Amino acid sequence: MFDRLKARFNDLGFNTCPHCLNKLTLPEVLYICSSCQEQVEAPGRWEQGAAKCKKCNGLATIRRCPRCGKDIPKIALETPNLPFSIVGVSNSGKTNFITVMLHELTRASVLNLALGHQDNHTRLHQNANRSLIYDQGVAPPSTPPGGELPPQIWYIKNLAKRQGQSVPTYTFTIFDGAGENHENDLDPASTVCRYIQSSKAIILTLDPLILQSVRQGGIVDETVRRNSLGGSDGGTKNAEEIVVSIASYIKAARGIRDTQVLDIPVAVVLTKFDTILTHQSLGVNALVKSPGLAFRNGRVDLAALAQIDEELRFWLSNIGEAAVTKALAGNFADFSFFGVSSYGSPPKPGNSLNTIVPHRVLDPILWLFAKAKFVD
């Protein structure tokens, strides 16, 4: 599958700027001399080395997008792009989930995947948040509303599928917009809108602690709930309305009618699930309680992920939230539920963290990688 994709990518002769997501042909990319900043003539192929500057005899190692003016990493011009968007309401745990998921993805040796940053923003952003969580034991701040952070640009290699000197490699971009950007009016010119338009997959985060059924049903201890919400009350929200609102936002961003269903895979991530795991309606032997990795004999364990999806649908129905599943089915052709905990336990008072033991944070990304045929 990847070989066919790469062959088509080379034949078409274009790739996508990971910043503005405009498609670029080779002649459009600007090659800039790193010594004198002079623009030089582009090489004949994406994979060729840096062009030589005729003015100072230096090398044009800087590749720049002519549309947005931002520098494009070399790997991003040589590999197919796999853009993911993370959407959800404010304080649903998107930033925590992304940070921990990426960190754990680099540590899961059984997956045989190599992950690395392509630019300084990605490196600094991930390292700062990772240090807060793992080293300092504090939760990172929420993504500020209004302002737009640049996308994180990673490369990911599937070493298990290496053939000779060729390793299947994607440019793996992640966009994490502020939750308020998904709740307010849509700006077609915004970065989040462009990313949703181009995304090959969407991760939709839902915080079960804001559900009225969870709040009123005694499912979560009040102190635990407040600590998990950073000491605030958090308010309650209707899950069905959240899904419909976000689905309408995504459809508007992608330019399709509300009567249509989205045909890209959507991982519905129930965050902060450590607070829910003891609830009796999950069942004593519920697989979602197990911390194991859904990866067996070199393949994603899709049967295990399907069982978790079924357990979570059953749990939502038991607590009176079946409408959320119906709302998803009415808007998304292919979706699956996941129960994750970025920290493994609720924060302590003052927003400090216990020892980080993530729970099932890789399930959503493995499911989406399998859908993209990047992993088996």
Side-chain angles (χ1 to χ4, degrees):
M1 174 67 182
F2 183 86
D3 289 341
R4 292 198 299 272
L5 176 61
K6 184 67 188 300
R8 175 170 170 75
F9 162 80
N10 285 332
D11 289 344
L12 290 174
F14 64 76
N15 204 351
T16 305
C17 172
H19 299 286
C20 66
L21 296 175
N22 283 303
K23 289 184 177 180
L24 304 172
T25 60
L26 178 57
E28 290 179 296
V29 176
L30 307 179
Y31 283 75
I32 310 298
C33 175
S34 57
S35 299
C36 68
Q37 302 300 305
E38 186 81 3
Q39 182 179 333
V40 304
E41 185 178 352
R45 289 178 56 83
W46 295 111
E47 294 87 349
Q48 285 185 354
K52 183 168 288 189
C53 175
K54 296 179 180 179
K55 181 178 179 180
C56 71
N57 211 32
L59 294 178
T61 57
I62 300 172
R63 296 156 177 83
R64 186 165 295 163
C65 175
R67 312 289 176 80
C68 67
K70 295 181 179 178
D71 294 345
I72 305 174
K74 181 174 181 291
I75 298 177
L77 288 175
E78 298 174 355
T79 56
N81 191 19
L82 189 65
F84 284 8
S85 288
I86 315 289
V87 299
V89 296
S90 57
N91 297 316
S92 60
K94 297 189 306 299
T95 300
N96 299 331
F97 169 69
I98 294 170
T99 302
V100 174
M101 178 270 292
L102 289 168
H103 180 66
E104 296 300 314
L105 194 60
T106 63
R107 298 177 61 192
S109 58
V110 68
L111 297 178
N112 213 10
L113 299 175
L115 183 72
H117 60 83
Q118 290 198 40
D119 63 0
N120 279 333
H121 162 75
T122 300
R123 177 179 62 84
L124 294 173
H125 183 75
Q126 172 67 9
N127 286 350
N129 285 339
R130 187 209 60 78
S131 179
L132 285 173
I133 293 172
Y134 286 89
D135 300 333
Q136 301 174 47
V138 295
S142 299
T143 304
E148 293 183 339
L149 293 175
Q152 294 190 47
I153 308 174
W154 299 85
Y155 67 79
I156 185 164
K157 299 172 180 285
N158 189 338
L159 303 179
K161 292 189 175 184
R162 177 174 178 171
Q163 294 182 348
Q165 295 182 333
S166 177
V167 180
T169 305
Y170 272 113
T171 285
F172 176 40
T173 54
I174 300 176
F175 182 78
D176 170 24
E180 290 81 359
N181 293 344
H182 304 149
E183 300 174 64
N184 299 329
D185 293 336
L186 180 71
D187 178 6
S190 67
T191 302
V192 66
C193 182
R194 293 198 303 272
Y195 253 84
I196 289 174
Q197 286 175 325
S198 302
S199 287
K200 299 294 190 298
I202 289 175
I203 295 176
L204 188 150
T205 58
L206 292 175
D207 181 358
L209 298 180
I210 65 173
L211 303 181
Q212 188 171 7
S213 56
V214 172
R215 185 75 58 92
Q216 297 179 345
I219 294 173
V220 177
D221 177 82
E222 179 66 15
T223 301
V224 169
R225 183 183 64 79
R226 292 184 71 87
N227 289 343
S228 296
L229 291 171
S232 68
D233 179 72
T236 60
K237 295 187 179 181
N238 181 292
E240 181 183 8
E241 291 177 359
I242 291 173
V243 169
V244 171
S245 174
I246 291 178
S248 295
Y249 180 95
I250 295 171
K251 289 178 182 180
R254 296 178 72 89
I256 66 174
R257 296 190 301 272
D258 264 334
T259 54
Q260 294 179 278
V261 295
L262 286 154
D263 60 356
I264 62 173
V266 177
V268 185
V269 179
L270 299 178
T271 57
K272 307 175 188 177
F273 212 69
D274 51 87
T275 61
I276 308 295
L277 292 177
T278 58
H279 191 238
Q280 59 183 3
S281 67
L282 279 173
V284 176
N285 298 315
L287 182 59
V288 72
K289 292 183 176 181
S290 169
L293 186 65
F295 197 77
R296 300 286 182 275
N297 302 317
R299 305 176 71 90
V300 177
D301 192 344
L302 293 175
L305 296 182
Q307 181 180 336
I308 289 173
D309 172 63
E310 183 179 350
E311 290 171 359
L312 292 175
R313 292 179 191 231
F314 177 76
W315 176 73
L316 288 167
S317 178
N318 266 9
I319 66 171
E321 295 288 354
V324 69
T325 305
K326 295 179 181 178
L328 286 161
N331 288 284
F332 303 108
D334 186 11
F335 69 93
S336 186
F337 285 103
F338 302 89
V340 311
S341 170
S342 299
Y343 303 147
S345 61
K348 294 180 286 188
N351 214 28
S352 62
L353 306 177
N354 297 295
T355 301
I356 305 301
V357 185
H359 184 84
R360 307 210 72 98
V361 293
L362 293 182
D363 283 357
I365 204 71
L366 289 178
W367 183 74
L368 291 175
F369 280 165
K371 288 287 181 179
K373 306 298 184 185
F374 179 61
V375 297
D376 293 326

